[in-house]
């Protein structure tokens, strides 16, 4: 079985042709993945007769000109997983292809060339996989961020205000509500983000 180096989960450690894969997702699915952090990418409706095995490494590529590498992962069994609400083509009668993320590049995708997709899934040689994984370099260091969401709400009581707050959050969600982010200890560096991208909230600067 293909193994993943746990110290560097993007690296294929057991060479073997056609044991790594690239999966092609649409631009719409890519945008959906950027909204909320998922541990897995669950896909149905793939146009392919081939099926990866659990543990096989997968490169997630967004369709386009050029195509972009947006994540690395490995195949999970798909048995007993909860359906992903962001899957645009759910099929209750088909076991989804489940890819557990090992490295995300959702905010800084890398352009790739030389990948030819005849359908939604294509095999990769070990050398091609290593070439993609090596382009990523080491993962960036993690740090603590303060994230807040402030909404002025008219209500008769604090409890009602909280209920209205969560109603707004569920209705508008990350596509419309700005979240304010700053490094822990540096609140003056706070920035507003919508859809995972910095968004100016000062109307005077837009004039």
């Amino acid at each position: 079985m293909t193994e993943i180096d746990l110290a560097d989960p993007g690296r294929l450690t057991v060479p073997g042709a056609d044991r790594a894969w690239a999966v092609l997702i649409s631009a719409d699915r890519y945008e959906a993945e950027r909204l909320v952090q998922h541990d897995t990418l669950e896909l149905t409706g793939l146009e392919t007769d081939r099926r990866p095995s659990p543990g096989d490494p997968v490169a997630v590529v967004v369709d386009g000109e050029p195509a972009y590498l947006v994540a690395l992962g490995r195949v999970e069994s798909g048995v007993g997983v909860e359906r992903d609400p962001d899957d645009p083509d759910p099929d209750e009668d088909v076991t989804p292809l489940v890819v557990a993320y090992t490295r995300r590049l959702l905010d800084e995708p890398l352009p790739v060339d030389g990948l030819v997709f005849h359908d939604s899934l294509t095999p990769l040689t070990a050398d091609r996989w290593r070439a993609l994984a090596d382009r990523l370099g080491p993962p960036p260091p993690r740090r603590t961020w303060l994230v807040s969401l402030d909404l002025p709400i008219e209500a008769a009581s604090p409890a009602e205000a909280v209920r209205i707050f969560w109603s707004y959050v569920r209705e508008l969600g990350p596509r419309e509500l700005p979240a304010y982010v700053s490094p822990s200890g540096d609140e003056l560096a706070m920035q507003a983000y919508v859809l995972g991208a910095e968004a100016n909230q000062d109307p005077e600067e837009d004039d």
Side-chain angles (χ1 to χ4, degrees):
M1 176 180 290
T2 300
E3 295 180 358
I4 303 295
D5 183 348
L6 296 181
D8 182 2
R11 180 178 294 277
L12 181 66
T13 58
V14 177
D18 297 350
R19 288 306 308 242
W21 304 82
V23 63
L24 193 66
I25 63 173
S26 68
D28 289 342
R29 185 61 192 273
Y30 165 59
E31 288 300 328
E33 288 300 302
R34 294 182 65 215
L35 292 181
V36 179
Q37 186 96 327
H38 299 292
D39 292 330
T40 59
L41 174 68
E42 299 158 23
L43 298 168
T44 58
L46 294 176
E47 299 174 0
T48 180
D49 295 329
R50 293 165 292 187
R51 194 76 177 178
S53 300
D56 284 355
V58 177
V60 181
V61 178
V62 175
D63 194 11
E65 293 293 339
Y68 283 89
L69 175 68
V70 296
L72 297 177
R74 56 183 172 184
V75 176
E76 291 193 345
S77 66
V79 177
V81 299
E82 183 177 353
R83 297 295 185 188
D84 189 336
D86 292 325
D87 186 344
D89 299 308
D91 188 339
E92 297 297 332
D93 297 325
V94 176
T95 300
L97 174 66
V98 181
V99 178
Y101 286 116
T102 57
R103 182 77 180 272
R104 297 176 178 87
L105 298 87
L106 298 175
D107 301 316
E108 297 180 350
L110 290 177
V112 294
D113 53 22
L115 286 181
V116 179
F117 285 85
H118 298 292
D119 46 39
S120 302
L121 194 67
T122 191
L124 297 177
T125 64
D127 288 342
R128 185 62 166 131
W129 173 265
R130 289 194 184 98
L132 290 174
D134 288 345
R135 290 187 60 193
L136 275 60
R142 301 182 69 84
R143 60 186 303 183
T144 301
W145 300 85
L146 299 179
V147 182
S148 63
L149 178 63
D150 297 320
L151 293 175
I153 293 175
E154 294 184 2
S157 68
E160 181 186 12
V162 171
R163 289 194 296 272
I164 296 174
F165 170 85
W166 287 116
S167 295
Y168 275 127
V169 170
R170 288 195 302 176
E171 178 181 353
L172 300 177
R175 297 181 185 275
E176 298 185 48
L177 290 177
Y180 296 89
V181 185
S182 65
S184 180
D186 188 10
E187 286 74 14
L188 293 179
M190 181 177 291
Q191 298 287 344
Y193 276 76
V194 178
L195 284 175
E198 188 174 335
N200 180 25
Q201 298 297 303
D202 188 348
E204 294 183 359
E205 293 185 11
D206 292 334
D207 296 337

